[in-house]
Amino acid sequence: MGCLHFLPGGQNRLASRDFCDILLQQIYNDLSRQYGSWTRRQLYDRNYGETRIPRIPSAILEMFSHQNYADMKRALDPAFKFSLARSIYKGILRFVTSQHNQSALSVPPIVAPLPVHGFAVQADPINHHIRLSWKATVDSLDANAMPTSYIVYTRTQDKGWNNGIVVTDSIYDFEAPDSLLYQFRVEAVNDGGRSMPSETLCGRLTLTPDV
């Protein structure tokens, strides 16, 4: 019966409890700092198939219960849902880090950056290019989530997105020798991964005819 205490890969099933504890604490820390007082949910050890059958550490996380007024006040707020989803991601990240003998407390893992803001497009017909500019978003909860580079994606109105161009500055001059309508979006990047893409902006360079 001793094999029942271990996952197929040899990992102790108590890893699921560690995972759940890290997840709950991460959510509590982040939501309390962003939205004020937030109640840390209870951790239950129950015989549920959703966590008993998987071959890897797993947990069940329930949110937006109609019995919880604090949940329902935020249930339709997309900013809150993003904060919650990011906290879940960071909890998973810290659990995986801890499982590889790296302390998630003494050596925090690098968190993927937040999406850029202030994204703008400006046409420059004299120099025949379109200038893109944006600003990095500071993550007040994780100082190491700052981007180290960016990926600029472009597409025309009749083609798909290209594979992107990596740039280290927050300004990119795109050569546009014709009057096609272009679409642009930007992702922030660091050693922790990529951010969600920015909003998609359009730009068209209308060349001034020679007189």
Side-chain angles (χ1 to χ4, degrees), residues 47-121:
N47 186 17
Y48 293 121
E50 294 92 335
T51 53
R52 184 184 69 250
I53 297 175
R55 302 167 65 87
I56 60 175
S58 55
I60 300 174
L61 177 65
E62 294 184 354
M63 295 291 295
F64 303 121
S65 168
H66 68 280
Q67 299 173 336
N68 189 309
Y69 182 62
D71 273 14
M72 297 315 297
K73 285 195 301 182
R74 304 285 185 181
L76 300 179
D77 182 357
F80 176 83
K81 291 181 178 180
F82 178 84
S83 297
L84 173 61
R86 187 166 171 84
S87 292
I88 294 171
Y89 146 70
K90 290 192 291 186
I92 296 172
L93 174 65
R94 289 188 164 92
F95 170 74
V96 172
T97 301
S98 68
Q99 292 297 295
H100 287 80
N101 298 320
Q102 300 177 39
S103 173
L105 298 177
S106 61
V107 184
I110 297 177
V111 177
L114 290 167
V116 302
H117 70 280
F119 187 27
V121 175

Side-chain angles (χ1 to χ4, degrees), residues 142-200:
D142 289 275
N144 67 6
M146 288 299 293
T148 54
S149 61
Y150 306 90
I151 302 178
V152 179
Y153 297 93
T154 63
R155 73 174 179 183
T156 57
Q157 57 199 40
D158 57 345
K159 295 182 180 179
W161 292 100
N162 64 5
N163 292 327
I165 299 295
V166 178
V167 298
T168 56
D169 201 355
S170 57
I171 294 177
Y172 175 66
D173 289 329
F174 175 75
E175 294 186 4
D178 48 45
S179 59
L180 285 176
L181 179 64
Y182 292 93
Q183 292 180 311
F184 308 96
R185 65 186 182 193
V186 178
E187 291 179 352
V189 182
N190 65 14
D191 289 341
R194 302 180 184 180
S195 72
M196 295 179 64
S198 67
E199 66 268 39
T200 300

